[in-house]
Amino acid sequence: MRRSIATVCLSGSLEEKLTAAAAAGFDGVEIFEPDLVVSDSSPEEIRALADRLGLSIDLYQPFRDFEGVTPDLLEANLRRARTRFEVMRRLGADTILVCSNVGTATIDSDQVSADQLHRLGDLAASYGIRVAYEALAWGTYVDDYRHSWRIVERVDHEAVGVCLDSFHILSRGHDPAAIEDIPGEKIFFVQLADAPALSMDVLSWSRHHRLFPGEGAFDLGRFVVHLARAGYDGPLSLEVFNDTFRQTDTRRTAEHALRSLVWLEDRAARLLGPTDSLSRIADVDVPTGLDYVEIKAEDTSGVEVMLDQLGLVFRGKHRTKSVRLWSAGQARIVLNEEHARDLEPHVAGVGFQVRDAAATSERARDLAVRPAARRTHAGEQRLSGFVAPSGLEVFLNGRSAGGAEPFWAEEFEHGHVASDSGVASVDHVNLAHSWEAHDEAVLFYTSVLGLEAPSATEIAGPQGLVRSQVMSNANGSVRIPMNVAPAGQTRFPEHVALRCDDVAAVARHARERGLRPLPVPANYYDDLRARFDLADDVLERLRSNDLLYDRDDRGEFRHFYTPRIGRVFFEVVERVDGYDGYGADSAPTRLAAQARLDRLVAPRSTSA
Amino acid sequence: MRRSIATVCLSGSLEEKLTAAAAAGFDGVEIFEPDLVVSDSSPEEIRALADRLGLSIDLYQPFRDFEGVTPDLLEANLRRARTRFEVMRRLGADTILVCSNVGTATIDSDQVSADQLHRLGDLAASYGIRVAYEALAWGTYVDDYRHSWRIVERVDHEAVGVCLDSFHILSRGHDPAAIEDIPGEKIFFVQLADAPALSMDVLSWSRHHRLFPGEGAFDLGRFVVHLARAGYDGPLSLEVFNDTFRQTDTRRTAEHALRSLVWLEDRAARLLGPTDSLSRIADVDVPTGLDYVEIKAEDTSGVEVMLDQLGLVFRGKHRTKSVRLWSAGQARIVLNEEHARDLEPHVAGVGFQVRDAAATSERARDLAVRPAARRTHAGEQRLSGFVAPSGLEVFLNGRSAGGAEPFWAEEFEHGHVASDSGVASVDHVNLAHSWEAHDEAVLFYTSVLGLEAPSATEIAGPQGLVRSQVMSNANGSVRIPMNVAPAGQTRFPEHVALRCDDVAAVARHARERGLRPLPVPANYYDDLRARFDLADDVLERLRSNDLLYDRDDRGEFRHFYTPRIGRVFFEVVERVDGYDGYGADSAPTRLAAQARLDRLVAPRSTSA
């Protein structure tokens, strides 16, 4: 199906919105009237710009409070409609959205509304324009799409059809199956939005909390299947009001929006079975493991000291680049100093093990993901890669086999050197995003890589709540907890968690080599005693190694943290008997301890 | 009554929270257990710090999921309680908050809960501790304060009483009048929070959207009256969970919190009538007019050019300071270059006309407002002043008489020079606050100056929604619309609106003197035509002067804007027949036009 987006979804001027929509790969746009009103481009100039960009203007919206009114008001509304039709003629737009009346309707009669819409249809037809009538969820008399369709049937005018908006239908819990009772050619337009499951008034929910498809709780795949079965062949258009998107970079939001629509169409195509009307993309190929984590900085030597303390071993320098490999078991850390002037240590890339790197790359490309540029020299292995929302470079290795060494490791000068540290693998990589980028990042990892996103948690830090969303594959061999940094904290750190079978041994080894782990306060252990009824000797073993502790219904979790270097730090974890969490109850203690260390480095100013 | 605050209301370390609470003037604190757990100070050290600061530790909280459980679980819960009582003994805290069970209760029996709380009371008494039992709004079996009181009556133990929390009572719509049925000495503790009227699940509402008293929709004045009538004489304590406060400067939040509590106690005292138990402060003295607006910058000459274009006249330089006065009618603009190195033009101060400046100053001081430091020379008039949340300096003139010249004007060298421009007064001053400071600013203007805060609106700008809240006195002679800048926009401009009787004449005069008003796009006038059915010649008169237009049920509004200088710009407005708004429908057009001008000055980077 053709893909369209409402200009209200994007930030910036109308010209910027159109340019970003075209650059992302949309076929058309809905022009949100206020975006035109505030523009200093004339309707003719906007039309010419859209033409140059290859965008159709699929809809002009919204026209409010038309039907169910007294005769006087009807005449005024028809005059108002005429001025809008004049503008649409100049714009070259041939469909207008008419929302069910929420303000001025006083006559609760389908026949009156149908008669009035029939007159609007006559006027519209004289301009070559079609009227798409939509039931708003909070319409005074018409708040259900089945009701708007009954009225449109009664209008019986070739220029009057319905507009279906997933938000207005699914937010009210209305069954979308009756879409199939509407002839496809009478569905003049379709608007899509997802939304989180919130219980609040539906108007605020609609105005502030809509999401792109795949980010919320609505079953939009099924919604699109009903449309296809009804025979609808117009555009699928996104109309998402969300405070975040309006404050985010326009081009990035447009790519994010297109990704959600491609993903949705693919999902619907798979639900529907063989069809020509819906496009499919390559199958998702969920990563089976983490190939490596890349840390980049102008100077990575401090990280090297820490990796040595944690028991990883130096595996050599890359043949042609200023890149070094450290490892222990299946944990591989790549330290990259290429083109890193003035950069402090940070997580710059993650390698995933997949079955078919070429197919996943194709899927990523179809989902409007930008490829990562990586210089390759003669004789070197080529990895497929792309750029995740935070700027993280994601690379795919389709040739890893179980516990064997990855093929690219031979580009490093030393051969295989075993570590006896007990560190076995990377347990998880914890990424941080600004609040504007978080939803986009979740959609990226679910749609491109097929990771799952169980419910999120919130952690109280000394400078605000930290929202945390775990992304993982089914067996937990790939775990990416993602934190939303409190607003304004741009240097929120990320970390790499290494997994072992005896965290106390790794901690002792590290301490012998000079590591001072993140100090855990005595009050924490008093609290542990109360919460878990732990024996004194157990508590003492934890305390002496600055270990944190948690327990779930399966097993136990013991872990410690290193201090921060730049924007990265390390954690070492031991999972006992299938413990499946991340020690969230200990996170406030960790955040407070880090804040104390940070203050030693840079005392906080006491601003007025 | 004594004033207390829960440490969860404030950001930072526990030591910082206590220090800020004491500095603001609180008498005591509730220690939120997780704040202690993450601290590296021992309970003894926290106790010593509170002692030094003169703070009592009024409550230790929360203890969860105690009652209504199986016998096994009861024993475990008593063991858990014992470890908490040990910590409280070290802290020197003598009251613990026990919340009604939300997790582990399986027995819905008041007798069982009472028996179990009786055992807890015995244990607590052996430590000299009192148990304050609170009904959480989402408690499994106990979710109403009247129910928790029935259980406490049945417990009949001197160490067991109730804790009353305004959020849990008022969010459920429970009538607080029954508080008077509880003997004051059995009310062991009171927690206060306000909240906006939101329809969402009560848990999310509680966790994220509580507000300080006076900022939300609850009638807390009446709530405190019931407490006083019941004979309660313990502390009034704030417990406010809010994502904003946790990210805001600790000391400022503490002052803001104390202000809300002083205001509330005063309000309750006035409702109750003569009483010793509640403290009153000086009567509120609502400003009757704007005395002046001060604009400060290293170089104010650009502002002077603009004031001249708008028809204000130069009234002279201050005798001793680098300060200049411009005026027209009752509009007085003070330009200040004192101690302004590197500052761009911004609104730095506002003078209000009041009846009694001394009493208002006293009220401000009681409300924990910081006084403004202003150098006064021999022979100069002294103005009482203080600092509003944004750093704005607010000065009070208690000696202005109607339209007469203010007494301080004689400090400027020229005498009275009349302006014939038609500008008559300052219509409004539009201030901007970050989202963190907005609620604090609203409480400041309502509690200190008695301005009213009608409902807020939201305006769509090209880079996000702008929330706008008008503060005004009853007759509209003082109007302070306050905008919340979208997150991350730290240089959001403020403006001064000048009022006149013929805005077209002022616009023509300004244009003759070289002012280029903010250009209004042609599409805006096409839209006006459709919305208001305006005649062509009316539209043409608006268009030729770049005037914006609005209409309400009383009258009409015509206005134009100047370009921005630094962080300030001007508006000129004409109100016809008692129009009472601010042209909110035109605001998106204004924001878009300003964004276009800003781009000409500093092209926007196209970041990835």
Side-chain angles (χ1 to χ4, degrees), chain A residues 173-196:
Chain A
H174 296 156
D175 185 345
I179 289 173
E180 297 182 26
D181 302 336
I182 309 175
E185 68 277 10
K186 293 303 279 184
I187 305 175
F188 282 6
F189 208 75
V190 169
Q191 297 178 311
L192 297 171
D194 206 339

Side-chain angles (χ1 to χ4, degrees), chain A residues 85-303:
Chain A
F85 293 160
E86 300 281 355
V87 169
M88 288 174 68
R89 181 148 64 185
R90 295 166 64 195
L91 263 180
D94 68 359
T95 307
I96 190 168
L97 176 71
V98 174
C99 308
S100 61
N101 199 324
V102 298
T104 60
T106 50
I107 305 169
D108 183 11
S109 154
D110 287 5
Q111 190 58 51
V112 168
S113 290
D115 289 346
Q116 296 182 341
L117 285 166
H118 198 280
R119 283 200 56 194
L120 186 64
D122 284 343
L123 181 63
S126 72
Y127 284 86
I129 285 173
R130 305 190 311 166
V131 170
Y133 179 58
E134 174 182 81
L136 294 183
W138 50 89
T140 305
Y141 300 124
V142 180
D143 60 5
D144 182 328
Y145 78 100
R146 293 162 293 202
H147 191 181
S148 61
W149 165 235
R150 284 198 305 275
I151 292 175
V152 166
E153 266 193 302
R154 203 184 281 244
V155 174
D156 191 24
H157 193 297
E158 61 174 7
V160 180
V162 293
C163 173
L164 302 177
D165 182 314
S166 65
F167 184 87
H168 292 290
I169 295 169
L170 302 177
S171 67
R172 296 290 306 270
H174 296 156
D175 185 345
I179 289 173
E180 297 182 26
D181 302 336
I182 309 175
E185 68 277 10
K186 293 303 279 184
I187 305 175
F188 282 6
F189 208 75
V190 169
Q191 297 178 311
L192 297 171
D194 206 339
L198 290 177
S199 54
M200 65 193 305
D201 67 290
V202 75
L203 183 61
S204 302
W205 193 20
S206 169
R207 289 277 165 83
H208 302 292
H209 298 283
R210 291 190 184 207
L211 295 170
F212 289 129
E215 298 181 340
F218 290 164
D219 185 353
L220 292 176
R222 198 172 137 241
F223 188 89
V224 172
V225 165
H226 292 310
L227 286 169
R229 288 208 186 117
Y232 174 70
D233 64 356
L236 292 179
S237 187
L238 295 169
E239 191 197 34
V240 175
F241 302 96
N242 182 305
D243 302 351
T244 304
F245 303 145
R246 296 196 218 189
Q247 294 179 34
T248 310
D249 176 71
T250 313
R251 183 171 161 203
R252 215 174 80 186
T253 306
E255 290 172 353
H256 171 195
L258 188 78
R259 182 172 308 136
S260 76
L261 209 43
V262 172
W263 170 84
L264 173 61
E265 191 170 340
D266 176 64
R267 184 178 174 82
R270 287 165 194 272
L271 286 171
L272 187 60
T275 170
D276 292 333
S277 65
L278 296 171
S279 308
R280 286 175 65 150
I281 57 175
D283 290 353
V284 71
D285 181 12
V286 183
T288 54
L290 285 172
D291 214 31
Y292 68 88
V293 179
E294 175 187 326
I295 293 171
K296 190 167 182 169
E298 176 163 357
D299 177 1
T300 58
S301 57
V303 183

Side-chain angles (χ1 to χ4, degrees), chain A residues 178-462:
Chain A
I179 289 173
E180 297 182 26
D181 302 336
I182 309 175
E185 68 277 10
K186 293 303 279 184
I187 305 175
F188 282 6
F189 208 75
V190 169
Q191 297 178 311
L192 297 171
D194 206 339
L198 290 177
S199 54
M200 65 193 305
D201 67 290
V202 75
L203 183 61
S204 302
W205 193 20
S206 169
R207 289 277 165 83
H208 302 292
H209 298 283
R210 291 190 184 207
L211 295 170
F212 289 129
E215 298 181 340
F218 290 164
D219 185 353
L220 292 176
R222 198 172 137 241
F223 188 89
V224 172
V225 165
H226 292 310
L227 286 169
R229 288 208 186 117
Y232 174 70
D233 64 356
L236 292 179
S237 187
L238 295 169
E239 191 197 34
V240 175
F241 302 96
N242 182 305
D243 302 351
T244 304
F245 303 145
R246 296 196 218 189
Q247 294 179 34
T248 310
D249 176 71
T250 313
R251 183 171 161 203
R252 215 174 80 186
T253 306
E255 290 172 353
H256 171 195
L258 188 78
R259 182 172 308 136
S260 76
L261 209 43
V262 172
W263 170 84
L264 173 61
E265 191 170 340
D266 176 64
R267 184 178 174 82
R270 287 165 194 272
L271 286 171
L272 187 60
T275 170
D276 292 333
S277 65
L278 296 171
S279 308
R280 286 175 65 150
I281 57 175
D283 290 353
V284 71
D285 181 12
V286 183
T288 54
L290 285 172
D291 214 31
Y292 68 88
V293 179
E294 175 187 326
I295 293 171
K296 190 167 182 169
E298 176 163 357
D299 177 1
T300 58
S301 57
V303 183
E304 286 198 294
V305 168
M306 199 171 270
L307 291 176
D308 174 67
Q309 291 166 335
L310 295 175
L312 279 76
V313 297
F314 177 54
R315 298 287 305 285
K317 190 175 167 314
H318 192 269
R319 278 183 211 151
T320 63
K321 298 175 196 159
S322 187
V323 173
R324 300 156 77 88
L325 173 63
W326 286 71
S327 77
Q330 294 299 309
R332 284 172 286 272
I333 309 289
V334 170
L335 302 180
N336 182 355
E337 295 183 351
E338 296 260 306
H339 310 297
R341 197 163 71 184
D342 290 339
L343 297 180
E344 58 184 349
H346 65 283
V347 177
V350 173
F352 289 102
Q353 295 165 356
V354 295
R355 272 170 290 270
D356 185 344
T360 300
S361 295
E362 186 196 316
R363 181 176 174 91
R365 206 166 42 241
D366 286 340
L367 287 164
V369 177
R370 300 186 197 176
R374 174 146 292 201
R375 199 183 314 189
T376 315
H377 298 272
E380 281 176 18
Q381 304 291 347
R382 192 178 288 274
L383 284 173
S384 310
F386 35 88
V387 182
S390 57
L392 186 82
E393 294 193 339
V394 168
F395 282 88
L396 303 172
N397 178 359
R399 290 188 278 151
S400 61
E405 195 67 1
F407 66 90
W408 50 264
E410 68 189 36
E411 290 171 12
F412 291 81
E413 281 163 1
H414 294 199
H416 188 90
V417 183
S419 156
D420 57 0
S421 70
V423 168
S425 61
V426 171
D427 184 82
H428 59 275
V429 183
N430 186 296
L431 303 177
H433 297 94
S434 65
W435 61 273
E436 305 98 300
H438 179 74
D439 288 330
E440 183 187 356
V442 172
L443 181 69
F444 175 87
Y445 290 102
T446 51
S447 67
V448 177
L449 295 176
L451 296 183
E452 293 158 28
S455 65
T457 55
E458 279 173 344
I459 296 157

Side-chain angles (χ1 to χ4, degrees), chain B residues 233-312:
Chain B
D233 65 356
L236 293 178
S237 187
L238 294 168
E239 190 197 36
V240 175
F241 302 97
N242 182 305
D243 302 351
T244 304
F245 303 144
R246 296 197 220 191
Q247 294 179 36
T248 310
D249 176 71
T250 312
R251 184 172 161 203
R252 215 174 80 186
T253 306
E255 290 172 353
H256 172 196
L258 188 78
R259 181 171 310 137
S260 75
L261 209 44
V262 173
W263 170 86
L264 173 62
E265 191 171 339
D266 176 64
R267 184 179 174 82
R270 288 164 192 271
L271 287 171
L272 186 58
T275 168
D276 293 332
S277 65
L278 296 170
S279 308
R280 285 174 66 151
I281 57 176
D283 290 354
V284 73
D285 180 13
V286 182
T288 54
L290 284 171
D291 213 32
Y292 68 86
V293 180
E294 174 187 330
I295 292 171
K296 189 166 183 169
E298 176 164 356
D299 177 2
T300 59
S301 57
V303 182
E304 286 198 294
V305 169
M306 200 171 270
L307 291 176
D308 175 68
Q309 291 166 336
L310 295 175
L312 279 76

Side-chain angles (χ1 to χ4, degrees), chain B residues 62-69 73 77 80 98-107 113 133-144 168 172 202-203 206-207:
Chain B
F63 191 78
R64 297 188 191 280
D65 296 337
F66 175 79
E67 83 292 5
V69 298
L73 206 42
N77 287 347
R80 187 158 61 88
V98 174
C99 309
S100 62
N101 199 323
V102 298
T104 59
T106 50
I107 304 168
S113 289
Y133 179 57
E134 173 182 83
L136 294 182
W138 50 89
T140 305
Y141 301 124
V142 180
D143 59 6
D144 182 328
H168 292 291
R172 296 290 306 269
V202 74
L203 183 60
S206 168
R207 290 274 166 83

